[in-house]
Amino acid sequence: MESESHKNYYDIVILPSPEVRDVAIALSRAINQKFGSDLVLGRRAFKPHISLYHVVIQKKNLSEMMERLRIIAASQKKIGALTIQRYKNQPHLAVAKIAWLQNLHESVLKAINPLRDTTFPDAWDNGAKYGNVVRPIHRKNIKKYGSPIVGAIFDSHITLTVLNDPDDTVKAIDVISLKKYQFNPTAITVCQIGKHHSCQKMIATIPFLV
């Protein structure tokens, strides 16, 4: 699968541990082999990740975004262990939304949203391309933050695939057999966003200082 990155469109993420990364990649490949998909995870492109905020930033504001993320990373007094398990109704891995992760997400949202390029065309296309973006709260969040599933409805997960045929969703979920994994995040990472809001080229890694 060819990778592509959208200029000035970034995903602020947490990358999982190598163990969780490799489990996610193996499951993504298994689902693709059995059902066919338009996204297959890998180590270099289409990286497994937990999104904190999708955001469009003009080049002139990129260094300020990095500085704000460094301040957030340095302010973390204690890092919460993240638990990975099966997602209920999509071929994803769920990430238990502990208070630390929710607070980190909200800190990133509050700090980075004022830098957002509001002239960028709606990357979510008002739900036309993404069938799950239809609720009023999604549209409200897109208008205010440029991303639908943020704030109180932040949904922490690792996307495994995007199926060619959505009717295969239930069967694809059955392929996901795994124990619960835990890992301790070590950094905030900034990636360029590619197809299906995938994590492509890594722009920066900002370590937590605890």
Side-chain angles (χ1 to χ4, degrees):
M1 180 183 297
E2 291 185 4
S3 64
E4 60 180 48
S5 295
H6 299 301
K7 186 178 180 181
N8 299 337
Y9 195 16
Y10 301 99
D11 200 356
I12 301 168
V13 309
I14 289 175
L15 297 181
S17 65
E19 180 184 32
V20 173
R21 175 200 64 200
D22 290 346
V23 167
I25 290 172
L27 288 169
S28 179
R29 290 174 177 174
I31 292 170
N32 176 63
Q33 185 174 23
K34 192 164 186 178
F35 301 105
S37 63
D38 201 34
L39 184 154
V40 183
L41 298 178
R43 288 195 176 192
R44 298 187 65 181
F46 301 96
K47 297 175 179 65
H49 65 280
I50 302 162
S51 293
L52 295 172
Y53 187 27
H54 305 97
V55 64
V56 181
I57 300 290
Q58 292 184 2
K59 187 176 181 180
K60 65 181 181 181
N61 290 326
L62 191 57
S63 61
E64 177 62 22
M65 180 180 80
M66 298 303 179
E67 180 58 27
R68 294 187 184 192
L69 292 175
R70 278 191 284 271
I71 291 170
I72 292 170
S75 72
Q76 304 304 302
K77 305 302 182 184
K78 184 179 179 181
I79 307 300
L82 300 185
T83 301
I84 308 296
Q85 52 202 18
R86 278 178 51 149
Y87 198 91
K88 288 183 179 180
N89 57 3
Q90 290 293 334
H92 302 335
L93 298 181
V95 181
K97 192 168 65 172
I98 60 174
W100 173 81
L101 183 60
Q102 180 68 28
N103 291 339
L104 179 66
H105 159 70
E106 291 179 3
S107 295
V108 168
L109 194 65
K110 182 178 180 180
I112 305 305
N113 184 54
L115 301 175
R116 179 169 61 92
D117 179 5
T118 58
T119 68
F120 188 80
D122 183 1
W124 295 90
D125 201 19
N126 288 322
K129 295 180 181 178
Y130 301 91
N132 60 326
V133 187
V134 294
R135 294 166 53 195
I137 186 63
H138 291 151
R139 299 189 190 281
K140 180 180 178 180
N141 284 342
I142 289 171
K143 184 176 181 179
K144 186 174 181 179
Y145 299 108
S147 190
I149 307 175
V150 296
I153 62 168
F154 171 55
D155 179 25
S156 47
H157 65 276
I158 298 173
T159 298
L160 294 179
T161 191
V162 174
L163 294 165
N164 290 335
D165 185 353
D167 289 340
D168 288 329
T169 296
V170 174
K171 291 180 286 185
I173 292 172
D174 287 340
V175 173
I176 303 171
S177 175
L178 78 164
K179 64 181 184 180
K180 288 185 178 180
Y181 290 88
Q182 274 197 336
F183 74 97
N184 292 303
T186 60
I188 295 171
T189 299
V190 180
C191 297
Q192 280 189 315
I193 286 181
K195 191 175 185 180
H196 297 301
H197 290 82
S198 57
C199 184
Q200 298 293 331
K201 182 181 177 182
M202 290 174 55
I203 303 300
T205 299
I206 303 166
F208 298 122
L209 301 181
V210 294

